[in-house]
Amino acid sequence: MEFAYDTDNIFAKILRGEIPNQTVFESDHALAFNDIEPQAKVHVLVIPKGPYVSLDHFARDASAEEQAGFFAAVSEVCRITGVEAGFRAIANTRTHGVQDVPHFHLHIIGGEQLGRMLQTP
Ligand code: AMP
């Protein structure tokens, strides 16, 4: 599969500092920031700094160092946001997964009781 990365996507602009964000955590390999339309008390997006469009792109092509750095950031976000009681991690992907922003991001959602997993269209 071909993964074509669009450098004009909104998260690329955030990474370049062209659009502000509410940073929760940043490292060499990842940035985590609050979602602009939070779906729960905690709603953080964790993104790799590299140009990956989706979870399957990242899992296939990111280096071991980038992948470790990304998941270290996920761990930090869970610690910082205090979601010991649980959370949901979502990676919406392409059309069927209703992905709006074509830069891989993991939603970390929690801080309160969530509903069941999926809504039908
Ligand atoms: P997805 O459907 O998984 O691609 O979701 C994209 C998410 O990015 C949505 O939850 C939006 O609310 C969020 N979002 C869009 N623009 C921004 C922004 N400038 N800062 C923070 N979150 C954003």
Side-chain angles (χ1 to χ4, degrees):
M1 173 155 175
E2 283 286 311
F3 293 106
Y5 185 79
D6 171 12
T7 56
D8 281 337
N9 80 78
I10 198 155
F11 294 169
K13 291 178 180 172
I14 285 176
L15 284 170
R16 290 196 295 266
E18 295 165 11
I19 291 176
N21 73 93
Q22 281 191 330
T23 299
V24 173
F25 178 78
E26 182 167 13
S27 68
D28 286 349
H29 290 297
L31 176 68
F33 52 96
N34 286 321
D35 195 292
I36 206 165
E37 287 184 46
Q39 304 295 309
K41 285 180 183 161
V42 171
H43 189 166
V44 177
L45 302 172
V46 188
I47 69 174
K49 289 194 169 175
Y52 302 102
V53 297
S54 57
L55 172 60
D56 50 350
H57 186 200
F58 183 74
R60 190 187 73 180
D61 289 352
S63 69
E65 193 183 347
E66 288 175 300
Q67 297 201 21
F70 178 81
F71 283 104
V74 171
S75 172
E76 284 300 311
V77 167
C78 291
R79 182 184 63 75
I80 292 164
T81 58
V83 289
E84 287 91 352
F87 62 93
R88 186 166 295 148
I90 299 173
N92 296 320
T93 305
R94 293 192 290 285
T95 306
H96 282 184
V98 195
Q99 179 179 6
D100 289 329
V101 180
H103 181 114
F104 169 46
H105 50 284
L106 194 64
H107 297 253
I108 302 291
I109 300 171
E112 61 185 304
Q113 183 63 51
L114 304 176
R116 288 264 166 214
M117 191 162 64
L118 293 176
Q119 288 178 331
T120 48

